[in-house]
Amino acid sequence: MTEIGVNINPEMLDNFISLLKSCRRIAAFTGAGISTESGIPDFRGPSGTWEKFDPNEFHIDRFVSSVESRRKYWLHNTGMYEAIRQAAPNAAHVALTRLHGMGRLSAVITQNIDGMHQVAGMPDDKVIELHGSTRYIGCLSCGIRIPRQEFQHRVSPEGDSPPCDSCGGLMKPATISFGQMLTPESMEAAARETDTCDLFVVIGSSLVVYPAAGFPVHAARRGVPLVIINNDPTPHDEYAQVVLNAPAGEVFRRAMAVVDPDGPPLSGVRPS
Ligand code: NAD
C-alpha cells in the first residue's frame, strides 16, 4: 500500500523505474538510512547517535587503552544490538532481495552493521559488509570470530566483557570502529561490484564516511548511471542521474509496483 502524503518527484521516480527495468547488474549501496524505517536509528539524522554521544568516545584507541571506554562502548553497542535483534526488514530491504531474485541485482554493498539484508533473504555471500557486523564478536589479538549470541550473555550489566577464550585478547563486536581499517576482502569485493555493475543505487547514506563513500563516485566516473535515494541531500548528488530525497521504503513500494506488478506487496519480514 502506498503512503499518502509522501512527496516523491514523479519525473525522478519514472527515471528510476526505467533504470530498474532496463538494468541487469545492479549494485545497491546502503547506509543507516535504509534501516530507520525498521526502527534502527541512523547516526547523523535528527535523532541519530551523534546527537547524543561524542564520536571520539568510540575510537579504537580508547577501546584498547581504557577500561572505562570499553564499558561505555559495550553498553552503547549492546543497546544497539538489542534494537537490531527486535527489528524487522522494511520494504526497501525486501525490494532489494526481490530484485536479486529477479536476476537484476548482483550484490548489496552495505555500511550497515545490522544484518537486515540477510534477514530479508539476501544470500550472505551477496552482502558486502564494509563496516562489519554487530551479530558477531571478534578478538582484537587472534582474530577469532564467534556469533554474538554465544558471547553476549557473558557481558555484565556494567559493560565488563570477558577476554578471548583462545588467547586472552580483548573481545569486541565485529564492527569497524573509528581508527580501524576496513578489511581488504570487503574493499576488493565492493570495488569488483562497482567496476562491473550497470546501475549503482545508493539508499540511505549521507555519503560522508570514507572510503565507503568513494564507491558511488567511482561508478559514476565509469559512466554508470548513479541513483541516490536519501532523505537529505548528499555531497555527491551532482554525480547522480536520479536523486530522490524521500523515504526509501516508500520509493521502493512505488517503484516495485511498476517493476514487479504481480509480486506480493512489499511488507516487512519478522526476524526468526
Ligand atoms: P548516516 O547516519 O551518516 O546517514 C544516514 C542518511 O540516511 C542520512 O543522510 C538521512 O537523511 C538518511 N535517511 C534516514 N532515514 C531515511 C529513510 N527512511 N529513507 C531515506 N534516507 C534516510 O549513515 P551512513 O551514511 O550509513 O554512515 C554512518 C555509519 O554508521 C555507517 O558507516 C554504519 O556503519 C553506521 N551505522 C549503521 C547502522 C545500521 O547498521 N543500521 C545504524 C547507524 C549507524
Side-chain angles (χ1 to χ4, degrees), residues 31-33 36-37 43-44 111 113-114 131 205-206 230-232 248:
T36 55
E37 289 167 69
F43 279 0
R44 289 178 180 76
Q111 296 173 278
I113 53 173
D114 58 25
H131 295 166
S205 175
S206 55
N230 201 55
N231 272 348
D232 297 304

Side-chain angles (χ1 to χ4, degrees), residues 29-38 40-46 48-50 80 84 90 92-93 110-116 130-132 134 175-176 178 203-209 212 229-234 244-251:
F29 177 95
T30 65
I34 196 175
S35 294
T36 55
E37 289 167 69
S38 295
I40 304 168
D42 59 11
F43 279 0
R44 289 178 180 76
T49 294
W50 301 145
M80 187 158 182
I84 286 170
N90 62 58
H93 298 107
T110 188
Q111 296 173 278
N112 290 347
I113 53 173
D114 58 25
M116 281 294 138
L130 292 173
H131 295 166
T134 195
T175 55
I176 307 289
F178 292 118
I203 306 140
S205 175
S206 55
L207 296 183
V208 297
V209 179
I229 303 165
N230 201 55
N231 272 348
D232 297 304
T234 81
L244 286 155
N245 291 135
E250 187 55 19
V251 168

Side-chain angles (χ1 to χ4, degrees), residues 208-258:
V208 297
V209 179
Y210 280 85
F215 289 112
V217 177
H218 184 78
R221 289 201 172 127
R222 266 186 62 224
V224 166
L226 172 65
V227 173
I228 298 181
I229 303 165
N230 201 55
N231 272 348
D232 297 304
T234 81
H236 298 324
D237 288 357
E238 63 186 286
Y239 296 98
Q241 197 162 314
V242 173
V243 176
L244 286 155
N245 291 135
E250 187 55 19
V251 168
F252 275 100
R253 262 190 292 273
R254 293 190 195 180
M256 292 304 282
V258 181

Side-chain angles (χ1 to χ4, degrees), residues 76-146:
H76 171 262
N77 198 278
T78 298
M80 187 158 182
Y81 173 64
E82 289 306 327
I84 286 170
R85 273 201 325 151
Q86 286 162 28
N90 62 58
H93 298 107
V94 175
L96 296 182
T97 303
R98 195 164 302 162
L99 287 166
H100 174 67
M102 293 164 77
R104 287 165 192 237
L105 183 141
S106 52
V108 177
I109 304 166
T110 188
Q111 296 173 278
N112 290 347
I113 53 173
D114 58 25
M116 281 294 138
H117 292 296
Q118 290 93 326
V119 179
M122 276 299 288
D124 225 355
D125 64 341
K126 300 293 178 199
V127 183
I128 302 162
E129 294 177 312
L130 292 173
H131 295 166
S133 173
T134 195
R135 295 179 190 256
Y136 289 88
I137 303 294
C139 171
L140 291 181
S141 299
C142 71
I144 202 169
R145 193 173 141 112
I146 55 171

